[in-house]
mmCIF file of all heavy atoms in Angstrom:
data_model
loop_
_atom_site.group_PDB
_atom_site.id
_atom_site.type_symbol
_atom_site.label_atom_id
_atom_site.label_comp_id
_atom_site.label_asym_id
_atom_site.label_seq_id
_atom_site.Cartn_x
_atom_site.Cartn_y
_atom_site.Cartn_z
ATOM 1 N N ALA J 1 46.402 -177.892 40.086
ATOM 2 C CA ALA J 1 46.789 -177.565 38.727
ATOM 3 C C ALA J 1 48.185 -176.968 38.726
ATOM 4 O O ALA J 1 48.559 -176.216 39.631
ATOM 5 C CB ALA J 1 45.801 -176.584 38.099
ATOM 6 N N CYS J 2 48.949 -177.321 37.723
ATOM 7 C CA CYS J 2 50.276 -176.777 37.495
ATOM 8 C C CYS J 2 50.265 -176.132 36.125
ATOM 9 O O CYS J 2 50.119 -176.820 35.113
ATOM 10 C CB CYS J 2 51.333 -177.886 37.570
ATOM 11 S SG CYS J 2 52.989 -177.385 37.065
ATOM 12 N N THR J 3 50.398 -174.833 36.098
ATOM 13 C CA THR J 3 50.378 -174.091 34.848
ATOM 14 C C THR J 3 51.794 -173.657 34.484
ATOM 15 O O THR J 3 52.497 -173.076 35.307
ATOM 16 C CB THR J 3 49.457 -172.872 34.951
ATOM 17 O OG1 THR J 3 48.127 -173.300 35.261
ATOM 18 C CG2 THR J 3 49.423 -172.117 33.630
ATOM 19 N N ALA J 4 52.185 -173.957 33.257
ATOM 20 C CA ALA J 4 53.530 -173.667 32.783
ATOM 21 C C ALA J 4 53.519 -172.519 31.792
ATOM 22 O O ALA J 4 52.563 -172.330 31.033
ATOM 23 C CB ALA J 4 54.136 -174.905 32.131
ATOM 24 N N SER J 5 54.589 -171.761 31.797
ATOM 25 C CA SER J 5 54.779 -170.703 30.819
ATOM 26 C C SER J 5 56.241 -170.679 30.400
ATOM 27 O O SER J 5 57.096 -171.287 31.038
ATOM 28 C CB SER J 5 54.354 -169.346 31.375
ATOM 29 O OG SER J 5 55.115 -169.002 32.523
ATOM 30 N N GLY J 6 56.520 -169.966 29.325
ATOM 31 C CA GLY J 6 57.859 -169.969 28.771
ATOM 32 C C GLY J 6 58.008 -171.089 27.761
ATOM 33 O O GLY J 6 57.088 -171.382 27.003
ATOM 34 N N HIS J 7 59.168 -171.740 27.771
ATOM 35 C CA HIS J 7 59.419 -172.857 26.874
ATOM 36 C C HIS J 7 58.812 -174.114 27.475
ATOM 37 O O HIS J 7 59.317 -174.637 28.475
ATOM 38 C CB HIS J 7 60.917 -173.040 26.649
ATOM 39 C CG HIS J 7 61.249 -174.185 25.759
ATOM 40 N ND1 HIS J 7 61.034 -174.157 24.391
ATOM 41 C CD2 HIS J 7 61.764 -175.414 26.034
ATOM 42 C CE1 HIS J 7 61.405 -175.308 23.863
ATOM 43 N NE2 HIS J 7 61.850 -176.089 24.834
ATOM 44 N N THR J 8 57.739 -174.613 26.863
ATOM 45 C CA THR J 8 56.992 -175.727 27.438
ATOM 46 C C THR J 8 57.034 -177.011 26.621
ATOM 47 O O THR J 8 56.514 -178.034 27.071
ATOM 48 C CB THR J 8 55.522 -175.328 27.638
ATOM 49 O OG1 THR J 8 54.944 -174.982 26.376
ATOM 50 C CG2 THR J 8 55.409 -174.137 28.587
ATOM 51 N N PHE J 9 57.645 -176.999 25.455
ATOM 52 C CA PHE J 9 57.647 -178.184 24.612
ATOM 53 C C PHE J 9 58.512 -179.297 25.196
ATOM 54 O O PHE J 9 59.608 -179.055 25.704
ATOM 55 C CB PHE J 9 58.142 -177.836 23.207
ATOM 56 C CG PHE J 9 57.180 -177.019 22.406
ATOM 57 C CD1 PHE J 9 57.387 -175.667 22.215
ATOM 58 C CD2 PHE J 9 56.066 -177.611 21.845
ATOM 59 C CE1 PHE J 9 56.496 -174.912 21.468
ATOM 60 C CE2 PHE J 9 55.164 -176.865 21.093
ATOM 61 C CZ PHE J 9 55.390 -175.505 20.909
ATOM 62 N N HIS J 10 58.007 -180.517 25.119
ATOM 63 C CA HIS J 10 58.753 -181.727 25.461
ATOM 64 C C HIS J 10 59.179 -181.797 26.928
ATOM 65 O O HIS J 10 60.212 -182.378 27.248
ATOM 66 C CB HIS J 10 59.977 -181.882 24.553
ATOM 67 C CG HIS J 10 59.670 -181.815 23.096
ATOM 68 N ND1 HIS J 10 58.832 -182.718 22.476
ATOM 69 C CD2 HIS J 10 60.067 -180.942 22.136
ATOM 70 C CE1 HIS J 10 58.731 -182.412 21.192
ATOM 71 N NE2 HIS J 10 59.475 -181.354 20.961
ATOM 72 N N TYR J 11 58.395 -181.233 27.795
ATOM 73 C CA TYR J 11 58.692 -181.290 29.225
ATOM 74 C C TYR J 11 57.905 -182.386 29.909
ATOM 75 O O TYR J 11 56.710 -182.554 29.680
ATOM 76 C CB TYR J 11 58.396 -179.953 29.909
ATOM 77 C CG TYR J 11 59.530 -178.972 29.799
ATOM 78 C CD1 TYR J 11 59.702 -178.185 28.674
ATOM 79 C CD2 TYR J 11 60.450 -178.840 30.845
ATOM 80 C CE1 TYR J 11 60.754 -177.297 28.567
ATOM 81 C CE2 TYR J 11 61.502 -177.951 30.752
ATOM 82 C CZ TYR J 11 61.649 -177.177 29.612
ATOM 83 O OH TYR J 11 62.693 -176.296 29.525
ATOM 84 N N THR J 12 58.590 -183.119 30.748
ATOM 85 C CA THR J 12 57.954 -184.052 31.662
ATOM 86 C C THR J 12 57.630 -183.318 32.954
ATOM 87 O O THR J 12 58.458 -182.569 33.473
ATOM 88 C CB THR J 12 58.873 -185.248 31.936
ATOM 89 O OG1 THR J 12 58.987 -186.036 30.745
ATOM 90 C CG2 THR J 12 58.321 -186.120 33.054
ATOM 91 N N ILE J 13 56.430 -183.538 33.472
ATOM 92 C CA ILE J 13 55.966 -182.849 34.666
ATOM 93 C C ILE J 13 55.730 -183.859 35.777
ATOM 94 O O ILE J 13 55.168 -184.934 35.544
ATOM 95 C CB ILE J 13 54.668 -182.070 34.394
ATOM 96 C CG1 ILE J 13 54.850 -181.110 33.208
ATOM 97 C CG2 ILE J 13 54.222 -181.319 35.652
ATOM 98 C CD1 ILE J 13 55.842 -180.004 33.467
ATOM 99 N N ALA J 14 56.132 -183.506 36.975
ATOM 100 C CA ALA J 14 55.918 -184.364 38.127
ATOM 101 C C ALA J 14 55.426 -183.553 39.308
ATOM 102 O O ALA J 14 55.662 -182.344 39.402
ATOM 103 C CB ALA J 14 57.205 -185.102 38.502
ATOM 104 N N TRP J 15 54.732 -184.240 40.195
ATOM 105 C CA TRP J 15 54.319 -183.681 41.472
ATOM 106 C C TRP J 15 55.125 -184.319 42.594
ATOM 107 O O TRP J 15 55.256 -185.549 42.658
ATOM 108 C CB TRP J 15 52.832 -183.914 41.737
ATOM 109 C CG TRP J 15 51.915 -183.126 40.861
ATOM 110 C CD1 TRP J 15 51.336 -183.518 39.693
ATOM 111 C CD2 TRP J 15 51.459 -181.790 41.100
ATOM 112 N NE1 TRP J 15 50.548 -182.519 39.185
ATOM 113 C CE2 TRP J 15 50.609 -181.444 40.032
ATOM 114 C CE3 TRP J 15 51.682 -180.852 42.114
ATOM 115 C CZ2 TRP J 15 49.977 -180.198 39.944
ATOM 116 C CZ3 TRP J 15 51.062 -179.617 42.022
ATOM 117 C CH2 TRP J 15 50.226 -179.307 40.943
ATOM 118 N N PHE J 16 55.664 -183.488 43.452
ATOM 119 C CA PHE J 16 56.314 -183.911 44.679
ATOM 120 C C PHE J 16 55.590 -183.273 45.848
ATOM 121 O O PHE J 16 54.914 -182.259 45.693
ATOM 122 C CB PHE J 16 57.791 -183.496 44.702
ATOM 123 C CG PHE J 16 58.651 -184.238 43.723
ATOM 124 C CD1 PHE J 16 58.687 -183.876 42.387
ATOM 125 C CD2 PHE J 16 59.439 -185.303 44.146
ATOM 126 C CE1 PHE J 16 59.486 -184.559 41.482
ATOM 127 C CE2 PHE J 16 60.247 -185.992 43.247
ATOM 128 C CZ PHE J 16 60.263 -185.617 41.917
ATOM 129 N N ARG J 17 55.747 -183.844 47.010
ATOM 130 C CA ARG J 17 55.187 -183.240 48.209
ATOM 131 C C ARG J 17 56.193 -183.314 49.341
ATOM 132 O O ARG J 17 57.041 -184.204 49.387
ATOM 133 C CB ARG J 17 53.861 -183.892 48.612
ATOM 134 C CG ARG J 17 53.961 -185.351 49.006
ATOM 135 C CD ARG J 17 52.562 -185.930 49.194
ATOM 136 N NE ARG J 17 52.596 -187.326 49.591
ATOM 137 C CZ ARG J 17 51.529 -188.109 49.680
ATOM 138 N NH1 ARG J 17 50.322 -187.623 49.395
ATOM 139 N NH2 ARG J 17 51.660 -189.372 50.054
ATOM 140 N N GLN J 18 56.070 -182.381 50.250
ATOM 141 C CA GLN J 18 56.988 -182.304 51.371
ATOM 142 C C GLN J 18 56.223 -181.955 52.641
ATOM 143 O O GLN J 18 55.465 -180.992 52.675
ATOM 144 C CB GLN J 18 58.078 -181.266 51.120
ATOM 145 C CG GLN J 18 59.150 -181.229 52.191
ATOM 146 C CD GLN J 18 60.378 -180.471 51.741
ATOM 147 O OE1 GLN J 18 60.373 -179.811 50.704
ATOM 148 N NE2 GLN J 18 61.442 -180.570 52.513
ATOM 149 N N SER J 19 56.428 -182.752 53.656
ATOM 150 C CA SER J 19 55.857 -182.512 54.969
ATOM 151 C C SER J 19 56.968 -182.559 56.000
ATOM 152 O O SER J 19 58.019 -183.176 55.763
ATOM 153 C CB SER J 19 54.777 -183.542 55.301
ATOM 154 O OG SER J 19 55.312 -184.857 55.308
ATOM 155 N N PRO J 20 56.776 -181.923 57.153
ATOM 156 C CA PRO J 20 57.845 -181.894 58.159
ATOM 157 C C PRO J 20 58.312 -183.269 58.604
ATOM 158 O O PRO J 20 59.503 -183.470 58.838
ATOM 159 C CB PRO J 20 57.204 -181.119 59.317
ATOM 160 C CG PRO J 20 56.186 -180.251 58.665
ATOM 161 C CD PRO J 20 55.633 -181.075 57.538
ATOM 162 N N GLY J 21 57.397 -184.220 58.690
ATOM 163 C CA GLY J 21 57.769 -185.525 59.194
ATOM 164 C C GLY J 21 58.358 -186.467 58.165
ATOM 165 O O GLY J 21 59.134 -187.363 58.519
ATOM 166 N N LYS J 22 57.999 -186.292 56.888
ATOM 167 C CA LYS J 22 58.369 -187.273 55.869
ATOM 168 C C LYS J 22 59.362 -186.749 54.838
ATOM 169 O O LYS J 22 59.905 -187.523 54.060
ATOM 170 C CB LYS J 22 57.113 -187.777 55.151
ATOM 171 C CG LYS J 22 56.119 -188.463 56.065
ATOM 172 C CD LYS J 22 54.842 -188.851 55.329
ATOM 173 C CE LYS J 22 55.034 -190.034 54.421
ATOM 174 N NZ LYS J 22 53.749 -190.495 53.817
ATOM 175 N N GLY J 23 59.598 -185.463 54.797
ATOM 176 C CA GLY J 23 60.477 -184.907 53.791
ATOM 177 C C GLY J 23 59.831 -184.885 52.415
ATOM 178 O O GLY J 23 58.624 -185.085 52.269
ATOM 179 N N ARG J 24 60.644 -184.663 51.407
ATOM 180 C CA ARG J 24 60.127 -184.555 50.051
ATOM 181 C C ARG J 24 60.027 -185.926 49.394
ATOM 182 O O ARG J 24 60.967 -186.726 49.447
ATOM 183 C CB ARG J 24 61.013 -183.648 49.203
ATOM 184 C CG ARG J 24 60.479 -183.415 47.801
ATOM 185 C CD ARG J 24 61.200 -182.268 47.117
ATOM 186 N NE ARG J 24 60.962 -181.003 47.790
ATOM 187 C CZ ARG J 24 61.311 -179.811 47.314
ATOM 188 N NH1 ARG J 24 61.924 -179.727 46.145
ATOM 189 N NH2 ARG J 24 61.069 -178.715 48.015
ATOM 190 N N GLU J 25 58.898 -186.197 48.768
ATOM 191 C CA GLU J 25 58.699 -187.468 48.099
ATOM 192 C C GLU J 25 57.983 -187.281 46.770
ATOM 193 O O GLU J 25 57.179 -186.369 46.595
ATOM 194 C CB GLU J 25 57.910 -188.444 48.981
ATOM 195 C CG GLU J 25 56.484 -188.017 49.267
ATOM 196 C CD GLU J 25 55.671 -189.071 49.991
ATOM 197 O OE1 GLU J 25 56.065 -190.254 49.982
ATOM 198 O OE2 GLU J 25 54.630 -188.706 50.576
ATOM 199 N N PHE J 26 58.278 -188.179 45.860
ATOM 200 C CA PHE J 26 57.607 -188.217 44.573
ATOM 201 C C PHE J 26 56.166 -188.652 44.754
ATOM 202 O O PHE J 26 55.874 -189.579 45.510
ATOM 203 C CB PHE J 26 58.339 -189.187 43.640
ATOM 204 C CG PHE J 26 57.651 -189.435 42.332
ATOM 205 C CD1 PHE J 26 57.784 -188.549 41.276
ATOM 206 C CD2 PHE J 26 56.876 -190.566 42.150
ATOM 207 C CE1 PHE J 26 57.158 -188.783 40.065
ATOM 208 C CE2 PHE J 26 56.245 -190.815 40.943
ATOM 209 C CZ PHE J 26 56.386 -189.912 39.901
ATOM 210 N N VAL J 27 55.250 -188.000 44.049
ATOM 211 C CA VAL J 27 53.836 -188.348 44.094
ATOM 212 C C VAL J 27 53.382 -188.944 42.765
ATOM 213 O O VAL J 27 52.857 -190.054 42.719
ATOM 214 C CB VAL J 27 52.963 -187.128 44.439
ATOM 215 C CG1 VAL J 27 51.487 -187.515 44.448
ATOM 216 C CG2 VAL J 27 53.378 -186.537 45.777
ATOM 217 N N SER J 28 53.595 -188.216 41.686
ATOM 218 C CA SER J 28 53.135 -188.659 40.378
ATOM 219 C C SER J 28 53.870 -187.888 39.298
ATOM 220 O O SER J 28 54.339 -186.782 39.532
ATOM 221 C CB SER J 28 51.619 -188.454 40.239
ATOM 222 O OG SER J 28 51.139 -188.979 39.014
ATOM 223 N N GLY J 29 53.951 -188.467 38.108
ATOM 224 C CA GLY J 29 54.583 -187.796 36.991
ATOM 225 C C GLY J 29 53.954 -188.215 35.685
ATOM 226 O O GLY J 29 53.374 -189.301 35.580
ATOM 227 N N ILE J 30 54.082 -187.351 34.683
ATOM 228 C CA ILE J 30 53.485 -187.607 33.383
ATOM 229 C C ILE J 30 54.418 -187.081 32.300
ATOM 230 O O ILE J 30 54.940 -185.969 32.397
ATOM 231 C CB ILE J 30 52.075 -186.983 33.294
ATOM 232 C CG1 ILE J 30 51.374 -187.374 31.992
ATOM 233 C CG2 ILE J 30 52.134 -185.461 33.460
ATOM 234 C CD1 ILE J 30 49.874 -187.055 32.012
ATOM 235 N N SER J 31 54.630 -187.888 31.272
ATOM 236 C CA SER J 31 55.505 -187.505 30.180
ATOM 237 C C SER J 31 54.790 -186.569 29.223
ATOM 238 O O SER J 31 53.581 -186.350 29.319
ATOM 239 C CB SER J 31 56.021 -188.743 29.442
ATOM 240 O OG SER J 31 54.950 -189.470 28.867
ATOM 241 N N GLU J 32 55.543 -186.032 28.279
ATOM 242 C CA GLU J 32 55.020 -184.992 27.402
ATOM 243 C C GLU J 32 53.796 -185.447 26.614
ATOM 244 O O GLU J 32 52.840 -184.679 26.442
ATOM 245 C CB GLU J 32 56.130 -184.513 26.461
ATOM 246 C CG GLU J 32 55.794 -183.261 25.664
ATOM 247 C CD GLU J 32 55.107 -183.553 24.334
ATOM 248 O OE1 GLU J 32 55.313 -184.664 23.792
ATOM 249 O OE2 GLU J 32 54.377 -182.673 23.842
ATOM 250 N N ARG J 33 53.825 -186.681 26.123
ATOM 251 C CA ARG J 33 52.694 -187.209 25.369
ATOM 252 C C ARG J 33 51.792 -188.116 26.204
ATOM 253 O O ARG J 33 50.946 -188.820 25.652
ATOM 254 C CB ARG J 33 53.192 -187.959 24.136
ATOM 255 C CG ARG J 33 53.696 -187.039 23.034
ATOM 256 C CD ARG J 33 54.064 -187.817 21.790
ATOM 257 N NE ARG J 33 54.271 -186.929 20.649
ATOM 258 C CZ ARG J 33 53.320 -186.562 19.810
ATOM 259 N NH1 ARG J 33 52.073 -187.000 19.967
ATOM 260 N NH2 ARG J 33 53.604 -185.743 18.802
ATOM 261 N N SER J 34 51.977 -188.115 27.505
ATOM 262 C CA SER J 34 51.172 -188.899 28.432
ATOM 263 C C SER J 34 51.314 -190.400 28.221
ATOM 264 O O SER J 34 50.449 -191.165 28.651
ATOM 265 C CB SER J 34 49.693 -188.498 28.359
ATOM 266 O OG SER J 34 49.534 -187.121 28.617
ATOM 267 N N THR J 35 52.393 -190.823 27.584
ATOM 268 C CA THR J 35 52.623 -192.241 27.369
ATOM 269 C C THR J 35 53.264 -192.913 28.578
ATOM 270 O O THR J 35 53.252 -194.136 28.681
ATOM 271 C CB THR J 35 53.508 -192.473 26.141
ATOM 272 O OG1 THR J 35 54.723 -191.717 26.269
ATOM 273 C CG2 THR J 35 52.785 -192.016 24.877
ATOM 274 N N ASN J 36 53.835 -192.138 29.465
ATOM 275 C CA ASN J 36 54.467 -192.647 30.670
ATOM 276 C C ASN J 36 53.868 -191.910 31.861
ATOM 277 O O ASN J 36 54.051 -190.703 31.993
ATOM 278 C CB ASN J 36 55.982 -192.445 30.597
ATOM 279 C CG ASN J 36 56.738 -192.980 31.793
ATOM 280 O OD1 ASN J 36 57.780 -192.462 32.168
ATOM 281 N ND2 ASN J 36 56.221 -194.043 32.405
ATOM 282 N N ILE J 37 53.146 -192.636 32.692
ATOM 283 C CA ILE J 37 52.499 -192.077 33.879
ATOM 284 C C ILE J 37 52.885 -192.932 35.073
ATOM 285 O O ILE J 37 52.748 -194.156 35.040
ATOM 286 C CB ILE J 37 50.973 -192.035 33.714
ATOM 287 C CG1 ILE J 37 50.588 -191.082 32.577
ATOM 288 C CG2 ILE J 37 50.305 -191.621 35.015
ATOM 289 C CD1 ILE J 37 49.109 -191.057 32.259
ATOM 290 N N LEU J 38 53.359 -192.296 36.119
ATOM 291 C CA LEU J 38 53.791 -192.988 37.321
ATOM 292 C C LEU J 38 53.098 -192.414 38.550
ATOM 293 O O LEU J 38 52.831 -191.211 38.625
ATOM 294 C CB LEU J 38 55.308 -192.879 37.517
ATOM 295 C CG LEU J 38 56.218 -193.935 36.880
ATOM 296 C CD1 LEU J 38 56.118 -193.903 35.362
ATOM 297 C CD2 LEU J 38 57.655 -193.717 37.320
ATOM 298 N N TYR J 39 52.839 -193.293 39.529
ATOM 299 C CA TYR J 39 52.317 -192.907 40.824
ATOM 300 C C TYR J 39 53.096 -193.609 41.919
ATOM 301 O O TYR J 39 53.493 -194.771 41.756
ATOM 302 C CB TYR J 39 50.847 -193.295 40.990
ATOM 303 C CG TYR J 39 49.906 -192.688 39.992
ATOM 304 C CD1 TYR J 39 49.547 -193.369 38.836
ATOM 305 C CD2 TYR J 39 49.345 -191.436 40.218
ATOM 306 C CE1 TYR J 39 48.666 -192.814 37.921
ATOM 307 C CE2 TYR J 39 48.464 -190.880 39.310
ATOM 308 C CZ TYR J 39 48.127 -191.574 38.163
ATOM 309 O OH TYR J 39 47.240 -191.009 37.266
ATOM 310 N N THR J 40 53.291 -192.928 43.010
ATOM 311 C CA THR J 40 53.820 -193.623 44.168
ATOM 312 C C THR J 40 52.738 -194.533 44.736
ATOM 313 O O THR J 40 51.542 -194.273 44.587
ATOM 314 C CB THR J 40 54.332 -192.621 45.223
ATOM 315 O OG1 THR J 40 55.104 -193.309 46.209
ATOM 316 C CG2 THR J 40 53.181 -191.902 45.898
ATOM 317 N N ASP J 41 53.147 -195.618 45.374
ATOM 318 C CA ASP J 41 52.195 -196.641 45.796
ATOM 319 C C ASP J 41 51.104 -196.097 46.710
ATOM 320 O O ASP J 41 49.949 -196.531 46.641
ATOM 321 C CB ASP J 41 52.925 -197.784 46.506
ATOM 322 C CG ASP J 41 53.692 -198.684 45.562
ATOM 323 O OD1 ASP J 41 53.450 -198.614 44.337
ATOM 324 O OD2 ASP J 41 54.529 -199.465 46.045
ATOM 325 N N SER J 42 51.433 -195.157 47.557
ATOM 326 C CA SER J 42 50.479 -194.684 48.549
ATOM 327 C C SER J 42 49.308 -193.902 47.956
ATOM 328 O O SER J 42 48.307 -193.690 48.641
ATOM 329 C CB SER J 42 51.186 -193.830 49.604
ATOM 330 O OG SER J 42 51.742 -192.665 49.025
ATOM 331 N N VAL J 43 49.412 -193.473 46.692
ATOM 332 C CA VAL J 43 48.331 -192.699 46.087
ATOM 333 C C VAL J 43 47.654 -193.426 44.941
ATOM 334 O O VAL J 43 46.668 -192.914 44.388
ATOM 335 C CB VAL J 43 48.810 -191.310 45.610
ATOM 336 C CG1 VAL J 43 49.531 -190.576 46.730
ATOM 337 C CG2 VAL J 43 49.698 -191.423 44.373
ATOM 338 N N LYS J 44 48.132 -194.596 44.575
ATOM 339 C CA LYS J 44 47.518 -195.349 43.483
ATOM 340 C C LYS J 44 46.059 -195.654 43.792
ATOM 341 O O LYS J 44 45.721 -196.080 44.892
ATOM 342 C CB LYS J 44 48.279 -196.647 43.228
ATOM 343 C CG LYS J 44 49.615 -196.459 42.543
ATOM 344 C CD LYS J 44 50.316 -197.796 42.323
ATOM 345 C CE LYS J 44 51.643 -197.598 41.629
ATOM 346 N NZ LYS J 44 52.382 -198.882 41.468
ATOM 347 N N GLY J 45 45.205 -195.434 42.808
ATOM 348 C CA GLY J 45 43.784 -195.643 42.985
ATOM 349 C C GLY J 45 43.049 -194.462 43.564
ATOM 350 O O GLY J 45 41.814 -194.440 43.546
ATOM 351 N N ARG J 46 43.782 -193.492 44.087
ATOM 352 C CA ARG J 46 43.163 -192.305 44.675
ATOM 353 C C ARG J 46 43.466 -191.031 43.886
ATOM 354 O O ARG J 46 42.612 -190.157 43.786
ATOM 355 C CB ARG J 46 43.624 -192.114 46.120
ATOM 356 C CG ARG J 46 43.278 -193.273 47.038
ATOM 357 C CD ARG J 46 43.570 -192.924 48.494
ATOM 358 N NE ARG J 46 44.992 -192.662 48.719
ATOM 359 C CZ ARG J 46 45.478 -191.515 49.200
ATOM 360 N NH1 ARG J 46 44.652 -190.511 49.505
ATOM 361 N NH2 ARG J 46 46.778 -191.364 49.388
ATOM 362 N N PHE J 47 44.673 -190.930 43.355
ATOM 363 C CA PHE J 47 45.097 -189.742 42.618
ATOM 364 C C PHE J 47 45.160 -190.054 41.128
ATOM 365 O O PHE J 47 45.512 -191.173 40.731
ATOM 366 C CB PHE J 47 46.485 -189.276 43.066
ATOM 367 C CG PHE J 47 46.558 -188.716 44.457
ATOM 368 C CD1 PHE J 47 45.494 -188.807 45.348
ATOM 369 C CD2 PHE J 47 47.721 -188.089 44.885
ATOM 370 C CE1 PHE J 47 45.575 -188.291 46.629
ATOM 371 C CE2 PHE J 47 47.820 -187.571 46.164
ATOM 372 C CZ PHE J 47 46.754 -187.668 47.030
ATOM 373 N N THR J 48 44.859 -189.060 40.313
ATOM 374 C CA THR J 48 44.963 -189.187 38.868
ATOM 375 C C THR J 48 45.660 -187.961 38.300
ATOM 376 O O THR J 48 45.258 -186.828 38.576
ATOM 377 C CB THR J 48 43.580 -189.328 38.216
ATOM 378 O OG1 THR J 48 42.898 -190.463 38.764
ATOM 379 C CG2 THR J 48 43.726 -189.523 36.710
#
């Protein structure tokens, strides 16, 4: 879970991950109204 505080209107939220071997990579993102949702290929079908 990612909980936001402060000014939260109209923000797009994304998840990134970082490991020592692979560096930082995009995992998933969601637009303010959930009309645009993206996943990296390696997590499609497993992450929501």
Side-chain angles (χ1 to χ4, degrees):
C2 171
T3 300
S5 60
H7 179 73
T8 60
F9 289 104
H10 307 299
Y11 276 83
T12 291
I13 305 295
W15 290 94
F16 291 81
R17 64 188 181 188
Q18 186 165 10
S19 61
K22 299 176 74 174
R24 184 167 296 190
E25 65 173 342
F26 173 82
V27 179
S28 185
I30 186 167
S31 62
E32 191 271 334
R33 286 185 168 270
S34 303
T35 54
N36 182 210
I37 296 175
L38 271 63
Y39 300 94
T40 193
D41 286 345
S42 63
V43 308
K44 286 180 180 177
R46 300 189 297 121
F47 291 10
T48 302

